[in-house]
Amino acid sequence: MATYDTSDIRKGLKIMMDGAPYTVVEFQFVKPGKGAAFTRTKIKNLLTGAVLERNFRSGEKFEPANVEIKSMQYLYKEADSFVFMDTTTYDQVSMPAETVGDAAAFMPENLGVEVLFYNERAVGVTLPNFIELPIIETDPGFRGDTATGTNKPAKIGTGATVNVPLFINVGDVVRIDTRSGEYLERVGRG
Amino acid sequence: VRAWVDQQGFLEVETPARVPAPGQEVHLDAIAAPDGADGRFLITSPEYHMKRLAGAGFERIYQLGRSFRAGERGPHHQPEFTMLEWYRAGGELERVAQDCEEILAAAARAVGKEPPPVPFERTTVGGLLRRHAGVELRGDETVPELRAHAARAGVTTSASAWDDVFFQLFLDRVEPHLGAHGPVFVFDWPAPLGALARRKSDDPRLVERFELYAGGLELVNAFGELIDPVEQRARFTEETEVRRARGKTVYPLDEHLLEALGRMPPTCGAAMGFDRLVMLVLGAREIRDVVAFADDEV
């Protein structure tokens, strides 16, 4: 792959920095009146999610990061890893539980996800922002109690627990924001 | 703003926009505008011709006009922009700082806003580097010494030129703090960063220069002008060599300017990005918000 320089910088460009893959989140042309032009960036480490600010002098060069994002389907968990399938090629790949991390809590079987590959190795999974899952365990609901602000714990199909309003019953299907882990609304009744 | 400069006794002048020597600075590139084969460029600032007028005895002059810089496009940059440039014979650089305070006040009042409280904060490059980067800068460091300072402040750079290492350090560690709490003057720049400024009499490693930062904008650059034609010629020649070494367009030395410097009384001069002044008082985020037609709308 060709090297990039500062004129190639744009949102989403994936580059190597200090030995790790980063993606450009924001960038801006800056130039001191008496100095060289720089590109001010915010870049996100694709492995850790940490966001850094870096100023690149015009003409500085970087190596492209060998990363690829593939649409895959989560199949099942085996021992300490999760198995995904490429929905185009049907290739399967296994990712250690520690790499999947917190995403596992909102990843029911057969969910379509995006898997990040770095140097051909699966290093991260991104869930859809919203998922809909049935409640499998919670205290009985109080019909008609739609007051907000009062919550109770409820277990969803993946085994994770979310806080839901009091009127939710076992079998109800709820919509959850996978980024915050928050209940959003009831989309079906049990 | 015009009323203020007029009332201060500044004479409005107009100088040529198309010149053979548009500015030697290594980091400014001029836009070529030849008529036939006359090899002229659009000015990157009106500085050289205004100094010729200062050398001819005009003691207070100003110009509100266009300058042109190739390749500068961004929220705070347009290749064609309006600059307010003024020169004041005699006075200390501090007097020009007060001019800036009064111009900001006039601009704020013009749009019905409360002027920022004066005096603005005054600080130095050395003080800022000490506070925000833990670096003690003298101004005469070698490039390896400067890089070592930067590295201790956690700033790594592949740059090999003094000013490039300096600005990596400055942009990474200092600039994000500038002007967040009101306008701030930054005085006492290291000598390598003031090619047209005179050295300070009490510390020749520094030059008589300030920058005014406000609202995250670099708003004004001002010099106690270098009026020694011999030293100026040496600095121009050095810059020309750097331009040549980097494969940039090399402009001829402006002999008329060098000649005029010899006749110029001690003078201070300042250049204010006028579009940025308008952004500041209106709270605009980008230059394109304060001009009728941005560069990509022409």
Side-chain angles (χ1 to χ4, degrees), chain A residues 26-73:
Chain A
E26 274 177 43
F27 71 101
Q28 184 188 336
F29 176 84
V30 293
K31 183 181 180 306
K34 304 293 170 191
F38 285 76
T39 304
R40 170 165 291 163
T41 64
K42 278 191 182 152
I43 54 176
K44 185 167 95 175
N45 185 317
L46 287 168
L47 302 183
T48 66
V51 176
L52 300 181
E53 284 195 21
R54 286 289 282 260
N55 298 312
F56 297 107
R57 201 159 29 89
S58 277
E60 269 192 76
K61 296 192 164 32
F62 345 84
E63 295 301 317
N66 181 16
V67 296
E68 195 183 354
I69 292 168
K70 290 184 186 170
S71 292
M72 303 191 92
Q73 188 176 19

Side-chain angles (χ1 to χ4, degrees), chain B residues 61-201:
Chain B
I61 50 175
Y62 82 97
Q63 181 160 204
L64 185 59
R66 289 300 171 89
S67 291
F68 304 84
R69 295 179 180 179
E72 302 195 0
R73 286 176 180 83
H76 304 164
H77 294 84
Q78 286 278 309
E80 171 175 352
F81 63 100
T82 303
M83 187 122 93
L84 174 63
E85 181 135 345
W86 71 102
Y87 290 83
R88 203 183 242 288
E92 295 291 304
L93 198 52
E94 171 57 29
R95 184 66 194 84
V96 177
Q98 288 168 32
D99 289 345
C100 293
E101 291 174 337
E102 290 169 28
I103 291 169
L104 254 67
R109 277 191 220 99
V111 298
K113 292 204 176 152
E114 202 59 34
V118 290
F120 300 165
E121 184 187 349
R122 281 157 170 78
T123 181
T124 62
V125 171
L128 289 170
L129 283 174
R130 191 175 305 126
R131 191 185 324 158
H132 298 298
V135 167
E136 290 290 338
L137 189 78
R138 296 184 312 266
D140 63 349
E141 285 80 359
T142 63
V143 170
E145 283 171 345
L146 191 62
R147 282 163 70 116
H149 274 321
R152 276 194 295 278
V155 173
T156 51
T157 171
S158 59
S160 52
W162 203 98
D163 57 338
D164 288 347
V165 179
F166 174 87
F167 277 114
Q168 184 83 53
L169 178 62
F170 195 78
L171 285 175
D172 282 7
R173 289 289 177 267
V174 177
E175 215 218 6
H177 302 281
L178 283 177
H181 309 288
V184 54
F185 290 107
V186 181
F187 280 86
D188 295 355
W189 290 71
L193 301 176
L196 294 149
R198 65 175 178 251
R199 290 173 188 272
K200 284 182 67 106
S201 50

Side-chain angles (χ1 to χ4, degrees), chain B residues 73 108 139 233 293:
Chain B
R73 286 176 180 83
R233 181 182 296 277
F293 300 101

Side-chain angles (χ1 to χ4, degrees), chain B residues 181-258:
Chain B
H181 309 288
V184 54
F185 290 107
V186 181
F187 280 86
D188 295 355
W189 290 71
L193 301 176
L196 294 149
R198 65 175 178 251
R199 290 173 188 272
K200 284 182 67 106
S201 50
D202 56 347
D203 186 349
R205 296 172 297 195
L206 302 176
V207 290
E208 299 260 4
R209 172 182 171 198
F210 73 71
E211 291 252 349
L212 171 59
Y213 289 86
L217 295 164
E218 182 188 343
L219 195 61
V220 180
N221 177 67
F223 291 145
E225 302 296 345
L226 176 63
I227 53 173
D228 175 348
V230 178
E231 185 170 358
Q232 187 67 73
R233 181 182 296 277
R235 294 199 204 167
F236 276 163
T237 306
E238 204 176 302
E239 287 183 319
T240 302
E241 288 317 311
V242 176
R243 291 193 71 90
R244 200 187 310 278
R246 295 189 185 183
K248 292 180 162 242
T249 311
V250 173
Y251 310 118
L253 291 196
D254 190 332
E255 294 293 343
H256 295 294
L257 168 68
L258 289 167

